[in-house]
Amino acid sequence: DEEHGHQSNETQHQVTIRKGFYLADTACTQALWSTVMEKNPSEFKDRPENPVDNVSWDECQDFISRANKTLHGQFKLRLPSESEWEYAARGGSQTAFWWGDTITSEQANYDASIPYNKGPAGEYREQTVDVLMFEANDFGLFNVHGNVREWCQDWYGPYPEGSVADPHGAEQGRNRVLRGGSWFYYPQSLRAADRDGQRPDIRHGIRGLRLAGG
């Protein structure tokens, strides 16, 4: 509760993930999306190494369905659950960000004109950047904080009370979970604990995805 920027929808609780899973080391790039979908909806086009943006949750499901058909059952792609996403993003840490409790624009892509937790102000790039631009966390994942907000599979809803195993969000709802902050967001919204939700049909330039499997 004492974490800088803590919100009322964040409740620390124990989560057990009992089955192994894969998570892509980067957000889905414009190059990959364009190969599968034969179009690029991104606000910041012509940057194939940057993450695809401006995609809805519904469009992500279509992308995943098409991609899975090319794999012929060898491997099944999907969006991560919210708990899988946070576990992977933290990389074994319990701090606000995988590297610690402060942040600079040398570590992530966000609106760094606003300082966080007594840290310095920095550069506001006003667009997405290369998915490999910053250092990876201890699980080998790049840009889990900032760049694009990443869709998760779950319906958005309150956390369950107490310890849980393999949670998959609310049974139903209006919004799907988004995690990780974006190039447009202030630093407190990049924290590993920060939660957000949006209607699955909404497209906006800050939203992308990171593929999971297993």
Side-chain angles (χ1 to χ4, degrees):
D1 292 350
E2 68 274 10
E3 184 173 287
H4 188 74
H6 171 79
Q7 302 292 317
S8 60
N9 65 348
E10 304 163 12
T11 303
Q12 189 176 39
H13 60 292
Q14 186 175 36
V15 176
T16 302
I17 300 174
R18 296 177 293 189
K19 184 179 179 181
F21 66 98
Y22 294 94
L23 194 63
D25 59 351
T26 73
C28 176
T29 62
Q30 293 182 33
L32 177 57
W33 183 280
S34 298
T35 298
V36 174
M37 302 295 283
E38 299 181 344
K39 60 181 179 180
N40 183 2
S42 300
E43 181 175 345
F44 306 105
K45 285 184 171 65
D46 303 320
R47 300 175 184 269
E49 73 284 356
N50 285 19
V52 67
D53 62 79
N54 201 36
V55 294
S56 70
W57 186 92
D58 289 338
E59 289 170 322
C60 290
Q61 300 304 309
D62 185 21
F63 167 80
I64 289 169
S65 177
R66 295 188 189 198
N68 278 328
K69 288 178 182 177
T70 70
L71 299 175
H72 305 292
Q74 299 175 45
F75 189 81
K76 188 172 179 62
L77 298 171
R78 58 179 174 83
L79 291 177
S81 70
E82 184 176 16
S83 59
E84 288 173 338
W85 188 96
E86 183 168 337
Y87 171 80
R90 288 188 175 279
S93 72
Q94 295 185 15
T95 48
F97 312 98
W98 68 259
W99 56 77
D101 287 316
T102 59
I103 185 173
T104 75
S105 58
E106 299 303 310
Q107 296 168 307
N109 184 31
Y110 64 103
D111 185 352
S113 65
I114 304 298
Y116 173 83
N117 196 22
K118 301 180 181 179
E123 181 181 3
Y124 177 27
R125 297 177 177 90
E126 302 186 53
Q127 63 178 48
T128 60
V129 297
D130 190 315
V131 295
L132 295 170
M133 182 169 175
F134 301 103
E135 183 181 0
N137 73 5
D138 288 349
F139 288 170
L141 307 182
F142 294 85
N143 282 285
V144 293
H145 305 292
N147 217 17
V148 287
R149 203 77 156 145
E150 297 178 10
W151 287 108
C152 295
Q153 185 65 29
D154 302 1
W155 287 111
Y156 177 83
Y159 276 147
E161 296 183 7
S163 300
V164 293
D166 304 320
H168 287 283
E171 291 296 321
Q172 56 186 357
R174 180 185 180 189
N175 298 324
R176 295 286 184 174
V177 172
L178 285 157
R179 286 300 206 111
S182 79
W183 62 269
F184 179 78
Y185 277 51
Y186 293 150
Q188 60 266 28
S189 296
L190 273 66
R191 295 174 300 111
D194 185 79
R195 310 177 66 223
D196 193 11
Q198 186 55 266
R199 280 173 32 199
D201 62 329
I202 295 294
R203 303 173 71 237
H204 195 283
I206 61 173
R207 298 185 180 99
L209 72 153
R210 186 180 301 257
L211 291 165

